[in-house]
Amino acid sequence: QVQLVESGGGSVQAGGSLRLSCAPSHYASSTYLMAWFRQAPGKEREGVASYDSVGRTLYTKSVKGRFTISGDSVNNTLYLQMDSLKPDDTAMYFCAATFGTLGSSLSAGSYNYWGHGTQVTVSS
């Protein structure tokens, strides 16, 4: 069973930046698809960005140009750099992964493993 551990959440003012990290306990395959999702109170879980093991990325429209997803093969860590944060970005952010798959997906059903989440709060 793969465990995903997120870190890096916190509270910032609008316009600020945060970097989220996701460290899998191990990689079940050299090919993988990983993503960040978020869920605000009273709202459905939303796919934010995905990244696969060949470096393909996909972003939801509301974060394009502000967020950057990347992978570090040396540290085996997935990152989400979040710049120009807005109050609407306030949510619990979750890391998700599936192995043996390449591509792009912001659909929760594409992922088998989930972290417990890290809170991001952006104040105006």
Side-chain angles (χ1 to χ4, degrees):
Q1 186 77 357
V2 176
Q3 295 183 344
L4 304 177
V5 179
E6 304 100 332
S7 62
S11 297
V12 295
Q13 289 191 325
S17 297
L18 285 172
R19 188 177 78 160
L20 305 183
S21 300
C22 172
S25 57
H26 64 281
Y27 284 81
S29 170
S30 59
T31 58
Y32 56 83
L33 175 62
M34 298 182 72
W36 288 97
F37 286 76
R38 65 186 179 186
Q39 188 166 19
K43 295 188 177 181
E44 292 187 356
R45 189 168 295 194
E46 172 192 28
V48 175
S50 71
Y51 175 90
D52 75 3
S53 50
V54 297
R56 189 165 16 211
T57 60
L58 177 68
Y59 297 91
T60 193
K61 184 177 179 181
S62 63
V63 307
K64 274 185 181 179
R66 299 189 300 121
F67 291 10
T68 303
I69 190 170
S70 62
D72 182 341
S73 60
V74 174
N75 295 312
N76 292 327
T77 302
L78 180 75
Y79 299 104
L80 184 68
Q81 177 67 41
M82 304 186 295
D83 299 318
S84 301
L85 282 160
K86 304 176 181 180
D88 284 349
D89 295 318
T90 295
M92 184 73 78
Y93 283 70
F94 299 88
C95 177
T98 190
F99 296 93
T101 299
L102 294 176
S104 303
S105 177
L106 298 180
S107 172
S110 298
Y111 299 90
N112 302 118
Y113 301 100
W114 292 84
H116 293 295
T118 185
Q119 178 67 37
V120 171
T121 303
V122 185
S123 58
S124 57

